[in-house]
Amino acid sequence: MLDERKLAVLRAIVEDYVSTNEPVGSKALTDRHNLGVSPATIRNDMAALEEQGYIHQPHTSAGRVPTDKGYRLFVDRLSQIKPLSAAERRAIETFLAGAVDLDEIVMRTVRLLAQLTRQVAVVQYPSLTRSTVRHVEIVPVAERRVMLVLITNTGRVEQRVIEVPEAVADDRIAHLRAVLNSCLDGCGLSDVPETVAELPDRLPIEDRPVAATILSVLLETLVERHEEKIVFAGAANLAAADFSVGLREVLEALEEQVVLMRLLGETGDLPGLTVRIGSENPYTGLRGTSIVAAGYGSGDKELARLGVLGPTRMDYPVTMGAVRAVARYVGQILAGS
Amino acid sequence: MLDERKLAVLRAIVEDYVSTNEPVGSKALTDRHNLGVSPATIRNDMAALEEQGYIHQPHTSAGRVPTDKGYRLFVDRLSQIKPLSAAERRAIETFLAGAVDLDEIVMRTVRLLAQLTRQVAVVQYPSLTRSTVRHVEIVPVAERRVMLVLITNTGRVEQRVIEVPEAVADDRIAHLRAVLNSCLDGCGLSDVPETVAELPDRLPIEDRPVAATILSVLLETLVERHEEKIVFAGAANLAAADFSVGLREVLEALEEQVVLMRLLGETGDLPGLTVRIGSENPYTGLRGTSIVAAGYGSGDKELARLGVLGPTRMDYPVTMGAVRAVARYVGQILAGS
DNA sequence: TCTGGCACTCCGTGTTCCCGAGTGCCAAGT
DNA sequence: ACTTGGCACTCGGGAACACGGAGTGCCAGA
């Protein structure tokens, strides 16, 4: 049904269209790729490809343009992820290595990815729920106020100011802190509620009200932040691409955390690398855009996701290479810090 | 030179042009505003205004459009800041009140401002150097690693992982923490270097190398963050405005922290409220845009700035009202937290 | 100093026309 | 059974053109 040559034609169409941004005709194809056959033959193949929905012509007497289905086939079977050049890899390393805290790692990552791919980059903060507790700190800041600081193994820091029901002496705070830490050190965040459940019973009775208040805030912190934080960068690249129409919608989608979450979120077929092409993606305002996303994390567990968003007409092999590489490096950085 | 009526004409031109986005002619003016004179008279006034550079006609036989100089006069002398409606004020309060930490306050503020003005909002994080130390925490995280956490009175938290030259027992850490806090509590961040300078001398000699390491990181943290953090939101509003040309440049400027800093930074004439119109602003890519900015802070000292950026053709009275109001509310929230 | 009248200037829109790229199909060739 | 060259056809997009209308500047009169 789709012999070898038809696939080659499709591949050539995608490549040419991506690089020229103009519908590609049979003549141009035989000129730029040596397919060894005449334009007429190509036309027959193109008719077949169109018949099956892989390409489409905007008007009679125009060249062909790949459809979403065509891109899909291209990504799945006709292309190979293009690794980064050594120079690019070095650039990534040096650029990311300079970051001093989590905020900066994320910030640098998203900028790097935007610059590397010349598209909009999106990075999700490492998930709280999948990381583990490194330290819990309780700090008195006023007579009846304490600050709770939670530090995770990914370097994330959460803090809350808590009103406690009564003034508490410093040594009692210190004791509570010690107990908490001995319980929670290394504990997965999703296991915290369980671990903490019967903790008040092990405390002197007079400390229980305070402890309960603090613990409830701690638990709240965990669930509240389950809706993750996401940042993006490179919006200027959108304007550069000929996004004349729909730019508005795309920008709006980018500012909706929820939409972004869903785009990055649902994981795909390839191990770790998800490509969602045009109409495949769940949000109607993004019909004309594709998403290339990957999970990242320290070690083997996926902490969060990152990716880029660009016009359907993007250079998939290069983009996929960049996303995969950046995801790996960020993982390493997080593991090492 | 500019009598009362000419000013009225200028005001009318600005108002009409802002609302219709089309060059406004003498006929339209007499129709929409009752100026009590005929179109011919208006034409004479317009000729005078053009002569002096307040308005400009794109082509012969087109209406007039305000120049930057015209907008400037309008802002300075012809308009009054328009206060928000009660409903809007309530909306601000409830929206900002829900924030739990500094990140969220800033995030909500920038979104709120974008939504309120339908333009791009820009918010600078409260300056570290102008705030004071609320607490310093030193937390051992591994054999030879400690985490330094600095909490300021604005709720900002900075943390750094530090490699120390030798393993340090917990009680020595605790002692160092106590000393640090007793020195620094309430200390203005800019005074920290001085305050801390001779601190190692007051410690047991064996603690000094460790203390020195930690202190140097602490000082580094202070200066590093002097280049402030800035966020923006509402880019979609740019696309909605008819920014057909230059959108690219504007988006690029928005992603350049440095440019944003300068835009917000230099404070202007009105107490706390800066308006920079079109070519008045320092960055060439932003020729077609105006910035309305204000300082905000808890109490009377200005911690940082916020503002909006939009086309020169913006509704200045309303925008200025919104910016001023939001700045005030954020100040209150920060003071109260 | 204001006003009505008048000739003039262009912008934007709509129309028409034409060129060229690209197609589909067919008949002939391998 | 494919492939190929030839050919008529289609249609989009740019150039040329005309025209209506909004707006102007200027002048003479009130």
Side-chain angles (χ1 to χ4, degrees):
Chain A
M1 196 170 245
L2 279 186
D3 59 26
E4 206 49 48
R5 196 187 57 218
K6 290 202 182 61
L7 292 178
V9 169
L10 177 55
R11 178 194 289 121
I13 290 176
V14 171
E15 287 172 356
D16 276 21
Y17 183 63
V18 164
S19 72
T20 66
N21 194 20
E22 274 168 13
V24 15
S26 52
K27 179 82 178 337
L29 275 189
T30 53
D31 288 354
R32 303 177 41 131
H33 309 257
N34 36 5
L35 298 166
V37 290
S38 80
T41 310
I42 301 295
R43 283 206 286 280
N44 290 332
D45 292 349
M46 287 168 109
L49 285 168
E50 178 153 26
E51 174 71 23
Q52 305 191 39
Y54 293 109
I55 56 180
H56 164 250
Q57 54 184 339
H59 349 272
T60 330
S61 97
R64 302 307 216 288
V65 165
T67 60
D68 291 350
K69 187 177 171 191
Y71 284 120
R72 168 53 62 197
L73 184 60
F74 176 80
V75 167
D76 287 348
R77 297 186 40 201
L78 302 178
S79 70
Q80 285 197 313
I81 297 180
K82 192 177 165 199
L84 297 184
S85 72
E88 283 171 319
R89 279 203 300 275
R90 254 180 290 116
I92 296 184
E93 253 172 310
T94 57
F95 191 63
L96 289 187
V100 298
D101 64 4
L102 183 66
D103 273 338
E104 208 177 332
I105 291 177
V106 172
M107 181 70 81
R108 289 190 179 212
T109 302
V110 73
R111 290 181 178 234
L112 174 70
L113 197 52
Q115 202 178 336
L116 221 48
T117 60
R118 304 199 153 276
Q119 319 211 286
V120 180
V122 183
V123 176
Q124 178 185 8
Y125 268 67
S127 161
L128 251 186
T129 51
R130 286 178 202 156
S131 38
T132 62
V133 175
R134 183 176 269 169
H135 192 88
V136 178
E137 192 62 25
I138 305 173
V139 180
V141 293
E143 177 78 3
R144 282 182 40 207
R145 273 186 172 174
V146 299
M147 177 169 273
L148 174 70
V149 181
L150 173 69
I151 303 169
T152 75
N153 67 333
T154 51
R156 186 164 181 161
V157 176
E158 294 290 327
Q159 85 276 9
R160 289 287 184 289
V161 175
I162 308 173
E163 303 271 351
V164 290
E166 52 180 311
V168 190
D170 283 359
D171 58 339
R172 286 165 62 199
I173 292 282
H175 178 241
L176 183 53
R177 177 200 298 143
V179 172
L180 261 182
N181 276 299
S182 70
C183 284
L184 293 180
D185 191 24
C187 176
L189 290 210
S190 47
D191 303 332
V192 167
E194 194 184 342
T195 311
V196 131
E198 57 201 26
L199 198 146
D201 300 341
R202 291 161 43 196
L203 292 172
I205 192 142
E206 69 271 23
D207 284 348
R208 289 184 193 171
V210 171
T213 308
I214 292 176
L215 287 179
S216 80
V217 172
L218 174 60
L219 295 180
E220 210 174 274
T221 306
L222 297 179
V223 302
E224 246 175 40
R225 287 313 172 103
H226 198 167
E227 40 150 300
E228 314 283 351
K229 207 170 145 191
I230 290 197
V231 296
F232 71 94
N237 294 329
L238 275 186
D242 51 346
F243 244 98
S244 51
V245 74
L247 205 162
R248 172 90 197 271
E249 280 88 343
V250 176
L251 283 172
E252 272 169 3
L254 282 175
E255 297 196 334
E256 280 300 330
Q257 307 277 16
V258 193
V259 174
L260 281 188
M261 280 300 303
R262 287 188 52 205
L263 288 183
L264 285 183
E266 293 142 33
T267 168
D269 34 8
L270 291 176
L273 208 49
T274 311
V275 180
R276 193 170 287 132
I277 296 167
S279 53
E280 293 173 12
N281 85 47
Y283 183 68
T284 94
L286 298 179
R287 241 186 318 261
T289 65
S290 290
I291 288 97
V292 175
Y296 70 91
S298 47
D300 50 355
K301 54 184 189 303
E302 179 175 305
L303 286 178
R305 318 206 78 213
L306 56 76
V308 309
L309 177 152
T312 352
R313 181 188 81 74
M314 71 162 69
D315 187 336
Y316 291 95
V318 168
T319 307
M320 290 166 80
V323 169
R324 190 177 62 180
V326 170
R328 284 184 187 159
Y329 278 104
V330 177
Q332 286 176 22
I333 299 279
L334 283 180
S337 80
Chain B
M1 196 170 246
L2 281 186
D3 59 26
E4 206 49 49
R5 197 186 55 217
K6 290 199 181 63
L7 292 178
V9 169
L10 178 55
R11 178 194 288 120
I13 290 176
V14 171
E15 287 172 355
D16 277 19
Y17 182 63
V18 164
S19 74
T20 67
N21 192 22
E22 274 167 16
V24 14
S26 52
K27 179 82 179 336
L29 275 188
T30 53
D31 288 355
R32 302 178 41 132
H33 310 258
N34 36 6
L35 297 167
V37 290
S38 80
T41 311
I42 300 294
R43 282 205 286 279
N44 290 331
D45 291 348
M46 286 167 112
L49 286 169
E50 178 153 25
E51 174 71 23
Q52 305 191 40
Y54 294 108
I55 57 179
H56 164 252
Q57 55 183 342
H59 348 271
T60 332
S61 97
R64 302 308 216 287
V65 166
T67 60
D68 291 350
K69 186 176 171 190
Y71 284 121
R72 167 56 59 197
L73 184 61
F74 175 81
V75 167
D76 288 348
R77 299 185 39 202
L78 303 177
S79 69
Q80 286 196 314
I81 296 180
K82 193 177 164 199
L84 297 184
S85 72
E88 283 170 319
R89 280 204 299 277
R90 253 179 290 115
I92 295 184
E93 253 172 311
T94 57
F95 190 63
L96 289 187
V100 298
D101 64 4
L102 183 66
D103 273 338
E104 207 176 332
I105 292 177
V106 172
M107 180 71 81
R108 287 192 181 212
T109 302
V110 72
R111 287 178 180 237
L112 173 69
L113 197 52
Q115 201 178 338
L116 221 49
T117 60
R118 304 199 152 275
Q119 317 209 292
V120 180
V122 182
V123 176
Q124 178 185 9
Y125 268 67
S127 161
L128 249 187
T129 51
R130 285 176 203 159
S131 40
T132 62
V133 175
R134 183 175 270 167
H135 192 85
V136 178
E137 191 63 25
I138 305 174
V139 180
V141 293
E143 177 78 2
R144 283 181 40 205
R145 275 184 170 176
V146 301
M147 176 170 272
L148 173 71
V149 182
L150 173 69
I151 303 169
T152 75
N153 67 334
T154 50
R156 186 163 180 163
V157 176
E158 295 289 328
Q159 85 275 8
R160 288 288 185 289
V161 175
I162 308 173
E163 303 272 350
V164 290
E166 51 179 311
V168 191
D170 282 1
D171 57 340
R172 286 164 63 198
I173 293 282
H175 178 240
L176 183 55
R177 176 200 297 144
V179 172
L180 262 181
N181 275 299
S182 69
C183 285
L184 294 180
D185 192 24
C187 176
L189 289 211
S190 47
D191 303 332
V192 167
E194 196 183 342
T195 311
V196 130
E198 57 201 25
L199 199 145
D201 300 340
R202 290 162 44 198
L203 292 172
I205 190 142
E206 68 272 22
D207 284 349
R208 288 182 194 173
V210 171
T213 308
I214 292 175
L215 287 179
S216 79
V217 172
L218 174 60
L219 295 180
E220 207 175 277
T221 307
L222 298 179
V223 302
E224 244 174 42
R225 287 314 173 101
H226 198 168
E227 37 149 302
E228 313 282 352
K229 206 171 145 190
I230 289 196
V231 296
F232 71 93
N237 294 329
L238 275 186
D242 51 347
F243 243 97
S244 50
V245 74
L247 204 161
R248 172 89 197 270
E249 281 87 343
V250 176
L251 284 173
E252 273 169 2
L254 282 174
E255 298 197 333
E256 279 300 327
Q257 307 277 16
V258 192
V259 174
L260 282 188
M261 280 299 304
R262 288 189 52 205
L263 288 182
L264 285 184
E266 294 143 33
T267 166
D269 34 8
L270 292 176
L273 208 49
T274 311
V275 180
R276 193 170 287 134
I277 297 167
S279 52
E280 294 172 12
N281 83 48
Y283 184 68
T284 94
L286 298 180
R287 243 186 319 261
T289 65
S290 290
I291 288 96
V292 175
Y296 70 91
S298 47
D300 49 356
K301 55 182 190 303
E302 180 176 304
L303 287 179
R305 319 206 79 222
L306 56 75
V308 310
L309 176 152
T312 349
R313 180 189 80 74
M314 70 162 69
D315 188 335
Y316 292 94
V318 168
T319 307
M320 290 167 79
V323 170
R324 190 177 62 181
V326 170
R328 283 183 186 159
Y329 278 105
V330 177
Q332 286 176 22
I333 299 278
L334 283 181
S337 78

